[in-house]
Amino acid sequence: MKTMTYIINMVVFAIITQFAFATPEWQDDPAGYEFTATISGAVILNDGVQMGDDGDIFAAFDDDGNVRGIALQLSPPFGPYQGTPVFEMQMRSNSEGDHLTFKYYDASEDAVLDISEDYTFVINDIIGDVTDPWILNIADLGCPECTDDDAALAPVGGCAAAVGMWGCGFSWAGSTLNELCPASCGT
């Protein structure tokens, strides 16, 4: 009986971890496009901190959301970026001028992050290298103003009082306190 319980527990654990640590289902299609352009070196920064842990993924997408390239993570053995993560990617297109955007999957946070920079496809283009990489930045998609709407919650004493009484998930006049009080809720 103990063996059966152990086996069942292991199967349940395997299923749960498969979903808890799922990576994006990005699939590259090299045969689907005629032309390439290369990012020979890219460094991804998030608030000045360089990204690039095991399991992280850097990818290019067209305006319809199709994957146009998935990068390899390199660790140059020489130069100013020696031993630090640098990404190399073949981007693909069937014509010059396609607009491409980038996303970064941070495995440690299990989060897909947008990259601020974009790219207009040029056939056979080469961007950067491992000694002079293209510096890309995680987009700041935070709250644009991040100010509380104390007037909406004036009957109860404003955002600080409402959050203190009910918490950030509480619904008030069709909105949650998360939406009305982003500063007080830290959202």
Side-chain angles (χ1 to χ4, degrees), residues 101-123:
T101 58
F102 303 100
K103 294 188 182 293
Y104 187 85
Y105 173 70
D106 182 354
S108 66
E109 297 292 326
D110 191 28
V112 174
L113 307 169
D114 292 316
I115 301 292
S116 297
E117 294 76 13
D118 60 356
Y119 173 73
T120 301
F121 191 86
V122 176
I123 297 169

Side-chain angles (χ1 to χ4, degrees), residues 64-113:
D64 294 327
N66 300 308
V67 175
R68 293 294 191 93
I70 296 178
L72 298 172
Q73 185 173 321
L74 308 174
S75 182
F78 59 87
Y81 291 89
Q82 178 179 352
T84 61
V86 175
F87 293 89
E88 180 176 83
M89 180 186 336
Q90 290 288 310
M91 297 175 291
R92 297 169 177 75
S93 179
N94 285 324
S95 64
E96 193 155 309
D98 281 355
H99 178 249
L100 301 182
T101 58
F102 303 100
K103 294 188 182 293
Y104 187 85
Y105 173 70
D106 182 354
S108 66
E109 297 292 326
D110 191 28
V112 174
L113 307 169

Side-chain angles (χ1 to χ4, degrees), residues 5-17:
T5 302
Y6 176 77
I7 291 171
I8 291 171
N9 287 340
M10 291 305 293
V11 169
V12 169
F13 177 76
I15 291 169
I16 290 171
T17 56

Side-chain angles (χ1 to χ4, degrees), residues 128-154:
D129 59 46
V130 295
T131 60
D132 186 21
W134 186 20
I135 306 297
L136 300 163
N137 297 280
I138 301 296
D140 181 9
L141 300 176
C143 183
E145 292 184 31
C146 281
T147 57
D148 288 346
D149 186 358
D150 285 313
L153 292 149

